[in-house]
Amino acid sequence: MHYMIGVDIGTTSTKAVGFNLQGHVLAEKSVEYPLLTPQPSYSEQNPDEVFQAVLDSISAVTAAARTTGFTLAGLAGISFSSAMHSLIALDENGNLLTNSITWADTRSKEYADQIKNSAAGHNIYRRTGTPIHSMSPLCKLVWLQAEQPELVKQAHKFISIKEYVFYRLFGQYVIDYSIASATGLFDIFTLQWYPPALQSAGITPEHLATPLPCTHIIRGLSAEQASYLGVDPQVPFILGGGDGCLANLGSGAIRPGNAALTIGTSGAIRVISSEPATDSQERIFSYILTPEHYVLGGPVSNGAILLSWFRDQFGMPETQLAKDLAMDVYELLLQKAAIIPAGANGLLFLPYLLGERAPIWDANARGVFFGLNLSHTREHLLRALLEGILFGIYSVANALIQVTGPIDVIYANGGFAKGDIWVQMLADIFNHEIRVTESVESSALGAVILGMQALGMISDFETIDKLVPIARTYLPNPEQHAVYQQLYAIYEGLYPKLKQDFAAITALQG
């Protein structure tokens, strides 16, 4: 009896999931940690809290596996997925000089705008596949050079959160091609650090980790770490990749016309291509899964984190009721939203509470309820919020289709795919068949599938259908789609009209 563990390091939690070799979930454990936002533009994690969450989630899964008859030798490997774009500065002794600055941090937005509007910035995008935006480590480094030069002088390495985990486990500075390709510093054509980008950031390759394939294997835990995790010290750790790239693999969306759509804290829609491709308007990314598989798509900054915001600000009745009934508060909120008709009676929501990435790439963008009148209730605001998140991803999909061709089927994953209501909205807005796999933890499953390839258990990705069984299928309602198309035409026109005002109001917010 063998199993593997996929570890998905996210923005607000780390989840470890144990899968048997047929792709079925055996056990899972999620450990949360706070997203540190002391000021409006800040978005950081405590790297040591994240590292401890990795240890605790793996330990919980191995403990659960032992209760069902698995031995130490039964664990075939542990493979990793991680959120992209984080940046941590370490000194020469490996001590933290900064927290983990996450994708959602927008302090570098002014420098990002300067780079984006330059010829050098366009060339960097074309070679690295990473849109120029405050999310990227490139822009974060330029900001640090300008705002905290003394810190930069002390820095020995600039790494991501997953690199920090591997450094703490093995004492090695290693980065997979997938995470590297989301830094804005990595040439996706040569698979090396890109000198013009490094020059813009004011660093050398020695400041960065060694780029390696996502299938790279490391062994040799300390006895203390192995004991804590409940694993053999020589268990293989597979480097893995970025969460978005692995979500496509873990949902089976690897063929032409197949897209994976994820909504977790943030959201994204992606397709897989045999070669990199960039967009003349710089709307989409081009990241690496393997040298034969490139993941093209776009991320939105505002996913289910907005539902959490709504819960905290307006959802006190559901929060209390959920406690009383021992139910999920989000299930109760979605039930409230389902009462309101499609289109929320003419209420639209621009979901830009965290600024926005694709397709507008504007850190100044802000949230807007549009069309509000006295007949609208709290439930209308909730329905419009959910639809606004999906409209944002729909706009990314339209940009992606212009570059990569039509999308036929969408595989939905992430926490939002656990329920029916929001997924049906997705089908109606996109007017596409939506497939939900048995495990919505597609990034963790994708990490496991990648690990299986690394260990020689599977030869390629073309035969993975048996590992990602489809649990549910949703078909669009044409009448609902017609309503959404009318509203989307208005939604699409709002941002261009408000762009300059967004910049002005952001300046007043500080």
Side-chain angles (χ1 to χ4, degrees), residues 316-366:
M316 295 305 110
E318 287 76 22
T319 300
Q320 185 58 52
L321 184 60
K323 290 180 181 178
D324 295 341
L325 300 178
M327 288 183 63
D328 182 357
V329 63
Y330 296 114
E331 182 180 344
L332 291 176
L333 287 171
L334 289 171
Q335 289 174 4
K336 292 283 188 179
I339 298 170
I340 304 301
N345 294 116
L347 182 62
L348 282 169
F349 178 63
L350 293 186
Y352 302 150
L353 271 64
L354 286 170
E356 190 52 288
R357 292 184 286 173
I360 61 174
W361 300 101
D362 186 352
N364 290 323
R366 290 294 180 266

Side-chain angles (χ1 to χ4, degrees), residues 130-201:
T130 302
I132 306 297
H133 183 265
S134 56
M135 71 174 184
S136 78
L138 163 67
C139 298
K140 293 180 173 76
L141 283 166
V142 173
W143 165 73
L144 280 173
Q145 291 280 7
E147 303 290 336
Q148 300 185 45
E150 292 304 314
L151 183 149
V152 174
K153 289 179 182 177
Q154 297 178 56
H156 174 64
K157 291 288 183 182
F158 294 101
I159 62 175
S160 74
I161 189 62
K162 184 153 73 73
E163 292 162 75
Y164 183 70
V165 168
F166 272 79
Y167 174 72
R168 289 287 304 274
L169 289 172
F170 300 104
Q172 300 180 32
Y173 290 114
V174 290
I175 184 171
D176 65 80
Y177 290 161
S178 179
I179 294 291
S181 68
T183 61
L185 302 166
F186 191 70
D187 190 323
I188 58 175
F189 298 91
T190 65
L191 304 183
Q192 300 291 329
W193 297 117
Y194 183 50
L198 300 190
Q199 184 177 4
S200 294

Side-chain angles (χ1 to χ4, degrees), residues 268-296:
I269 185 167
R270 305 163 303 272
V271 299
I272 286 184
S273 171
S274 60
E275 57 187 24
T278 52
D279 172 27
S280 60
Q281 298 180 54
E282 302 186 21
R283 294 170 296 177
I284 69 167
F285 58 65
S286 184
Y287 298 151
I288 300 170
L289 179 58
T290 75
E292 296 78 37
H293 298 86
Y294 288 81
V295 179
L296 315 179

Side-chain angles (χ1 to χ4, degrees), residues 220-441:
L221 286 174
S222 69
E224 180 181 1
Q225 288 174 330
S227 175
Y228 189 91
L229 294 176
V231 302
D232 187 288
Q234 294 303 314
V235 68
F237 275 67
I238 296 91
L239 201 52
D243 54 359
C245 297
L246 291 171
N248 273 65
L249 184 59
S251 59
I254 62 171
R255 296 177 178 84
N258 290 179
L261 190 152
T262 306
I263 301 179
T265 302
S266 57
I269 185 167
R270 305 163 303 272
V271 299
I272 286 184
S273 171
S274 60
E275 57 187 24
T278 52
D279 172 27
S280 60
Q281 298 180 54
E282 302 186 21
R283 294 170 296 177
I284 69 167
F285 58 65
S286 184
Y287 298 151
I288 300 170
L289 179 58
T290 75
E292 296 78 37
H293 298 86
Y294 288 81
V295 179
L296 315 179
V300 297
S301 296
N302 301 274
I305 194 170
L306 301 192
L307 188 55
S308 299
W309 169 80
F310 188 94
R311 174 204 63 192
D312 294 342
Q313 305 304 323
F314 308 109
M316 295 305 110
E318 287 76 22
T319 300
Q320 185 58 52
L321 184 60
K323 290 180 181 178
D324 295 341
L325 300 178
M327 288 183 63
D328 182 357
V329 63
Y330 296 114
E331 182 180 344
L332 291 176
L333 287 171
L334 289 171
Q335 289 174 4
K336 292 283 188 179
I339 298 170
I340 304 301
N345 294 116
L347 182 62
L348 282 169
F349 178 63
L350 293 186
Y352 302 150
L353 271 64
L354 286 170
E356 190 52 288
R357 292 184 286 173
I360 61 174
W361 300 101
D362 186 352
N364 290 323
R366 290 294 180 266
V368 174
F369 280 104
F370 181 77
L372 193 63
N373 64 47
L374 286 175
S375 71
H376 289 127
T377 65
R378 181 182 67 113
E379 287 73 20
H380 284 90
L381 269 65
L382 175 58
R383 176 86 188 204
L385 180 144
L386 296 171
E387 293 173 345
I389 294 169
L390 296 179
F391 277 149
I393 300 176
Y394 186 61
S395 66
V396 179
N398 289 335
L400 183 61
I401 288 167
Q402 292 174 24
V403 178
T404 66
I407 292 171
D408 302 318
V409 177
I410 296 173
Y411 293 79
N413 48 70
F416 95 109
K418 293 179 180 178
D420 295 328
I421 297 167
W422 209 358
V423 182
Q424 186 61 53
M425 289 185 202
L426 173 66
D428 295 341
I429 288 173
F430 276 73
N431 200 33
H432 280 308
E433 176 185 331
I434 309 296
R435 298 175 184 174
V436 177
T437 54
E438 183 178 290
S439 172
V440 298
E441 303 302 336

Side-chain angles (χ1 to χ4, degrees), residues 438-462:
E438 183 178 290
S439 172
V440 298
E441 303 302 336
S442 57
S443 293
L445 179 55
V448 162
I449 294 170
L450 189 72
M452 292 175 71
Q453 186 191 45
L455 296 169
M457 296 177 177
I458 58 174
S459 58
D460 56 50
F461 299 149
E462 303 306 317

